[in-house]
Amino acid sequence: MIARMLRPLLITLGLTLLWQCVVWLSAAPPFILPGPLQVLDTLLQQLPLLTRHAAVTLAEILLGLLCGVLLGLASALSLITWGGLRRWLMPVLVVSQAIPVFALAPVLMLWLGYGMASKVAMATLIIYFPVTAACFDGLRRTPTGYLKLARTLGASRRAQLLQIRLPAALPAFASGLRVAASVAPIGAVVGEWVGSSTGLGYLMLNANARMQVDLMFAALLVLALIAVALYFLIDHLARRLTPWQADTLLNPDAGSAGSR
Amino acid sequence: MDIRLENASLSWQHHCVFSGLNLDLPARQWTSILGQSGVGKSSLLQLLCGIADDADVHGRVYCSDGKPLAGRVAWMAQDDLLLPWLSVLDNVLLEARLHQHGRCNAEQRERARYLLAQVGLAQLADARPAQLSGGQRQRVALARTLFQERPLVCMDEPFSALDAINRLKLQDLAAQLLADRTVLMITHDPLEALRLSDRVLVLQGRPARLSAPITPPGDAPRQVSDPAVLSLQGQLLELLAGGRA
């Protein structure tokens, strides 16, 4: 237990040490690569500024995550409910992924303005496909035995979808959610780079232009913290969503539970 | 209620596995069908359950009360098919939950608990299926089948995944709990069929035919060491082995 609490701390410490060693060995000037202490100092000094911009970015990420997941879930459910839809919607989905989101950013900016809407749209767009694909796969791969059993029990199609297919797809949905949580920040930050007046991405670009490299690194650090925290939060949520999925990685006996 | 399946046919990749097959299931009797793999036993059973969608199987089903059979059959497969996200109790209640938007009333709960007690798992009602052993899981599946109160129970090799001792125990339990139902059981195991059934049929040949019924003497569950059972087992094994040659 103590080891589990200590491990993230040790990893952070080790990475920081590595960073400091690179600074020492390369003897890079502070405006190219500032040391961890200097960045930490800037972080504390500029905390109000960083918090203000971080709040904007966090809001964009969360809204994008929400929209992307809801949209993906709805698409997957429609695909599974209306079989004919698949032939029409699947190619559209694939094409939507073939166009790099980065290339779409200026267009979205043009349409939705420099405010939050365009960044939320970017995050949504980048999340949409992985979530849809994961959910659709999960819904499609319900063990046929479960469905046959439900039919002998006289379940309606609706009951089969809601009480058999949907819960059986939850583990797949959970992995889609994890992927979404790790790519959502990319969408938001790219949006901010292309054009904005707030957010961590804007702050980084701005600091870079003014050679405030320490501030840029501080913003990067905050962004990384947000991304990691978000991932662990979603991971925790996903585990709560699928409590029957025992962690076979942590427990070597879990796989043989059936033949105990 | 007697059930009669008439003129059943099954083809697999355009080859006829059987055709013109008639099967009688007398009311409140336990009928077993023995046969090798690929002879179409499971398809026959799934035809009666109305779930034979991966096979090209047809036939007409008549019930002695003149009503259709659909919705009056309970299915128990080799795989227990317990839903991993539901507790043991909720798995037994599955039929009620599927018809009532995932809810069930106190009376149904009470009955499910009673059935779990009958299969000896009262204390595990709130456990998840993953915490159960193979034998325990199959007991829950049996309780779920009993909860349905359908006149016909179709079992597809229900105990074949269990070890010998667990299998004997579950056979005794099933014989006791399903005593007043009409049962059709598919199995590989001649001893299992002879211990539990009122009528044992053998499905074999090409195209496959059903043999005349063998009726073991005495009441089920019969003892493993019963000489009549053992001698019939010898006959059945010879019959099955002869069909392969």
Side-chain angles (χ1 to χ4, degrees):
Chain A
M1 192 63 200
I2 294 170
R4 258 179 65 191
M5 304 286 276
L6 267 174
R7 201 170 296 137
L9 209 69
L10 283 177
I11 291 172
T12 316
L13 219 75
L15 285 176
T16 315
L17 205 68
L18 191 72
W19 178 2
Q20 186 63 61
C21 286
V22 172
V23 172
W24 278 331
L25 287 175
S26 66
F31 59 87
I32 297 288
L33 180 61
L37 283 174
Q38 194 192 344
V39 170
L40 199 68
D41 189 44
T42 314
L43 183 76
L44 292 176
Q45 271 178 21
Q46 303 279 6
L47 203 58
L49 177 79
L50 284 164
T51 327
R52 190 156 56 81
H53 287 289
V56 174
T57 305
L58 186 62
E60 288 164 3
I61 294 173
L62 290 180
L63 277 174
L65 202 58
L66 191 71
C67 293
V69 167
L70 287 182
L71 219 66
L73 198 58
S75 301
L77 278 173
S78 329
L79 283 172
I80 206 82
T81 314
W82 297 289
L85 195 64
R86 190 157 75 227
R87 281 188 291 275
W88 293 98
L89 203 60
M90 245 352 197
V92 179
L93 275 176
V94 173
V95 168
S96 84
Q97 279 311 289
I99 303 170
V101 183
F102 293 75
L104 280 179
V107 183
L108 287 176
M109 227 46 73
L110 192 69
W111 290 345
L112 299 172
Y114 285 80
M116 211 182 241
S118 52
K119 285 79 186 172
V120 173
M122 287 284 295
T124 305
L125 212 64
I126 210 168
I127 288 164
Y128 175 64
F129 187 74
V131 171
T132 308
C135 288
F136 180 57
D137 249 23
L139 286 169
R140 206 170 37 166
R141 291 198 186 150
T142 318
T144 48
Y146 292 172
L147 292 173
K148 282 188 173 178
L149 178 68
R151 276 163 59 198
T152 65
L153 293 168
S156 63
R157 273 182 66 86
R158 203 179 109 96
Q160 284 181 38
L161 178 66
L162 292 180
Q163 291 189 52
I164 309 284
R165 277 191 190 274
L166 217 58
L170 279 179
F173 175 61
S175 24
L177 218 54
R178 288 191 186 96
V179 174
S182 52
V183 297
I186 301 178
V189 171
V190 167
E192 287 172 359
W193 276 354
V194 173
S196 64
S197 50
T198 46
L200 286 174
Y202 160 79
L203 188 67
M204 283 173 74
L205 270 192
N206 209 17
N208 195 22
R210 296 181 189 178
M211 294 291 274
Q212 295 171 321
V213 181
D214 48 346
L215 183 60
M216 198 179 101
F217 268 80
L220 189 62
L221 204 65
V222 174
L223 191 64
L225 271 177
I226 288 178
V228 169
L230 186 71
Y231 180 81
F232 280 107
L233 185 77
I234 293 287
D235 185 55
H236 181 73
L237 260 173
R239 271 171 215 269
R240 289 285 296 272
L241 209 59
T242 57
W244 67 91
Q245 286 254 306
D247 234 327
T248 42
L249 269 182
L250 292 178
N251 180 3
D253 298 330
S256 57
S259 55
R260 205 172 4 165
Chain B
M1 177 185 70
D2 297 334
I3 294 152
R4 180 171 170 79
L5 174 64
E6 263 184 18
N7 205 8
S9 64
L10 165 70
S11 39
W12 175 249
Q13 293 173 345
H14 305 297
H15 289 285
C16 172
V17 179
F18 56 70
S19 68
L21 202 73
N22 296 328
L23 172 67
D24 280 300
L25 301 173
R28 299 157 79 86
Q29 286 206 20
W30 188 309
T31 308
S32 293
I33 298 182
L34 273 166
Q36 293 151 9
S37 323
V39 82
K41 309 187 296 287
S42 286
S43 299
L44 198 63
L45 184 115
Q46 297 202 355
L47 174 66
L48 283 168
C49 296
I51 49 172
D53 29 29
D54 16 74
D56 187 12
V57 59
H58 304 279
R60 291 186 66 91
V61 182
Y62 300 98
C63 303
S64 56
D65 60 0
K67 292 185 198 138
L69 183 65
R72 296 198 283 174
V73 193
W75 180 53
M76 186 171 165
Q78 177 181 353
D79 187 348
D80 50 69
L81 297 176
L82 298 183
L83 301 178
W85 55 87
L86 294 180
S87 71
V88 164
L89 187 69
D90 285 337
N91 265 294
V92 177
L93 284 161
L94 186 63
E95 186 190 32
R97 294 174 59 95
L98 282 170
H99 285 278
Q100 299 157 21
H101 305 288
R103 285 183 291 272
C104 38
N105 57 42
E107 191 188 330
Q108 288 164 336
R109 235 168 243 286
E110 194 52 44
R111 198 156 67 81
R113 280 192 192 280
Y114 170 71
L115 288 171
L116 275 177
Q118 280 201 311
V119 298
L121 292 176
Q123 73 287 1
L124 287 172
D126 299 316
R128 281 196 194 278
Q131 295 165 269
L132 270 51
S133 69
Q136 288 172 329
R137 292 171 64 104
Q138 208 59 12
R139 277 165 196 260
V140 179
L142 182 61
R144 182 187 60 202
T145 310
L146 290 167
F147 183 86
Q148 298 177 49
E149 292 195 317
R150 305 276 174 101
L152 175 63
V153 175
C154 285
M155 303 204 282
D156 196 346
E157 300 181 26
F159 314 121
S160 60
L162 305 178
D163 61 89
I165 302 302
N166 256 315
R167 195 183 306 173
L168 287 181
K169 281 188 191 160
L170 257 154
Q171 284 168 359
D172 290 345
L173 195 63
Q176 174 201 336
L177 296 176
L178 291 167
D180 57 344
R181 311 268 183 114
T182 311
V183 179
L184 172 64
M185 181 172 76
I186 301 291
T187 180
H188 282 300
D189 178 0
L191 186 61
E192 179 169 277
L194 290 167
R195 286 197 73 209
L196 298 172
S197 318
D198 301 302
R199 304 163 71 238
V200 180
L201 307 169
V202 176
L203 181 66
Q204 65 179 4
R206 193 167 297 183
R209 302 247 140 252
L210 276 172
S211 70
I214 295 169
T215 47
D219 289 328
R222 295 168 193 91
Q223 291 302 314
V224 188
S225 50
D226 186 335
V229 168
L230 287 177
S231 93
L232 279 172
Q233 186 191 11
Q235 283 179 32
L236 271 175
L237 280 171
E238 271 171 27
L239 190 63
L240 284 165
R244 173 166 287 173

